[in-house]
């Protein structure tokens, strides 16, 4: 879905969200409640500039508008694969964005992520998965890497990975598999504003993704491992 009609479905009339290159930022009202909106469009590659720009919006909200909810709109092809970004330390810029979101959370800002188009690779972690809860539209595309790339990294034959992906969501791309694993809390259909309002009121403030993945059968061991580490 294009970002402009999406905003009209999510928010009251007259939102103040603008596009600057691949960056979306501004404010909007949902049932009379003001929220900060920050995100990306055009399958953005997250480079150092875009990571800093998103982090600035989050920090400005924390500084000027205590407790205001933050909505992260996700459409990214992942981190930008350029020599310049790697030399500048793109991992630290993306980590900075994640730290800013965590600061907002600790300052009582509810943070909701929504994948409305594409979410790939490391760019998804700090622009969606870092939220209190991340949701998605059914037509969204979510994956860490394609099976050929996964085969090269894991040294497992692509045919074997394709077979595993039929029964194990960890190996398979697709928004439904990320719901099964708990990374996506739910898919939004129908009245998107009603879904957003419910998320702002009811989304957990503690990380429940491992527990959700276990309950849904997508990640059967993560919650057990976490519990053993915490209680060790």
């Amino acid at each position: 879905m294009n970002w402009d009609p999406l905003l009209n479905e999510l928010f009251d009339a007259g939102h103040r969200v603008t596009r600057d290159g691949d960056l979306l930022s501004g404010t909007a009202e949902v049932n009379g409640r003001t929220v900060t909106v920050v995100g990306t469009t055009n399958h953005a590659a997250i480079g150092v500039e875009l990571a800093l720009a998103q982090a600035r919006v989050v920090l400005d909200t924390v500084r000027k508008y205590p407790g205001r909810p933050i909505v992260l709109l996700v459409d990214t092809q992942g981190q930008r694969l350029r020599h310049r970004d790697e030399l500048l330390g793109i991992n630290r810029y993306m980590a900075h964005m994640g730290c800013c979101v965590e600061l907002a959370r600790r300052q009582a800002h509810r943070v909701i992520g929504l994948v409305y188009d594409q979410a790939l690779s490391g760019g998804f972690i700090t622009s969606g998965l870092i939220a209190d809860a991340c949701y998605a539209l059914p037509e969204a595309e979510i994956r860490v890497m394609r099976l050929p790339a996964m085969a090269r990294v894991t040294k497992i034959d692509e045919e074997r990975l394709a077979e595993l992906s039929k029964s194990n969501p960890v190996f398979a791309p697709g928004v439904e598999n990320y719901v099964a694993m708990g990374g996506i809390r739910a898919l939004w259909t129908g009245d998107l504003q009603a879904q957003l309002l419910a998320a702002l009121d009811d989304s957990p403030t503690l990380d429940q993704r491992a527990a959700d993945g276990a309950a849904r059968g997508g990640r059967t061991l993560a919650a057990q491992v976490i519990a053993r580490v915490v209680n060790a």
Side-chain angles (χ1 to χ4, degrees):
M1 176 181 283
N2 186 273
W3 67 274
D4 200 23
L6 171 69
L7 295 184
N8 292 330
E9 291 195 44
L10 284 173
F11 305 117
D12 301 342
H15 68 77
R16 296 169 299 283
V17 178
T18 60
R19 174 181 175 179
D20 181 6
D22 292 335
L23 174 71
L24 301 176
S25 63
T27 60
E29 280 69 44
V30 51
N31 198 26
R33 298 166 61 179
T34 301
V35 300
T36 289
V37 179
V38 60
T40 52
T41 189
N42 196 35
H43 298 351
I46 309 296
V48 295
E49 298 87 357
L50 193 49
L52 283 178
Q54 291 186 90
R56 171 55 58 191
V57 175
V58 174
L59 289 178
D60 284 346
T61 300
V62 173
R63 182 181 300 109
K64 299 176 182 178
Y65 308 103
R68 175 184 285 181
I70 299 172
V71 178
L72 305 174
L73 298 180
V74 182
D75 176 19
T76 175
Q77 61 182 273
Q79 68 270 29
R80 188 164 62 191
L81 302 177
R82 290 185 183 174
H83 191 211
R84 170 181 175 274
D85 291 87
E86 294 296 334
L87 288 176
L88 289 172
I90 180 62
N91 59 308
R92 294 188 177 186
Y93 288 85
M94 297 178 74
H96 172 66
M97 170 60 181
C99 288
C100 291
V101 173
E102 176 62 15
L103 172 66
R105 186 184 356 263
R106 295 189 180 196
Q107 295 296 319
H109 295 261
R110 179 57 62 90
V111 184
I112 300 298
L114 175 62
V115 181
Y116 70 96
D117 196 319
Q118 180 175 272
L120 275 61
S121 192
F124 179 34
I125 296 173
T126 54
S127 63
L129 286 180
I130 194 67
D132 291 332
C134 189
Y135 300 85
L137 301 184
E139 61 269 27
E141 177 187 2
I142 304 177
R143 56 182 165 80
V144 174
M145 61 176 64
R146 297 183 186 276
L147 290 182
M150 192 181 297
R152 289 195 297 271
V153 171
T154 63
K155 309 304 181 184
I156 299 174
D157 289 341
E158 186 178 342
E159 293 77 12
R160 175 58 175 157
L161 290 176
E163 187 64 28
L164 288 171
S165 70
K166 296 177 182 178
S167 59
N168 192 328
V170 172
F171 293 95
V175 64
E176 296 86 359
N177 290 308
Y178 278 80
V179 173
M181 290 187 289
I184 296 298
R185 186 160 180 81
L187 301 181
W188 285 0
T189 59
D191 188 337
L192 296 186
Q193 184 171 123
Q195 304 270 7
L196 176 56
L197 281 169
L200 290 171
D201 290 334
D202 302 330
S203 293
T205 54
L206 298 177
D207 190 347
Q208 294 185 358
R209 289 172 295 181
D212 287 343
R216 299 168 184 175
R219 295 179 72 204
T220 57
L221 297 178
Q224 297 179 40
V225 172
I226 292 170
R228 291 178 65 180
V229 171
V230 170
N231 298 321

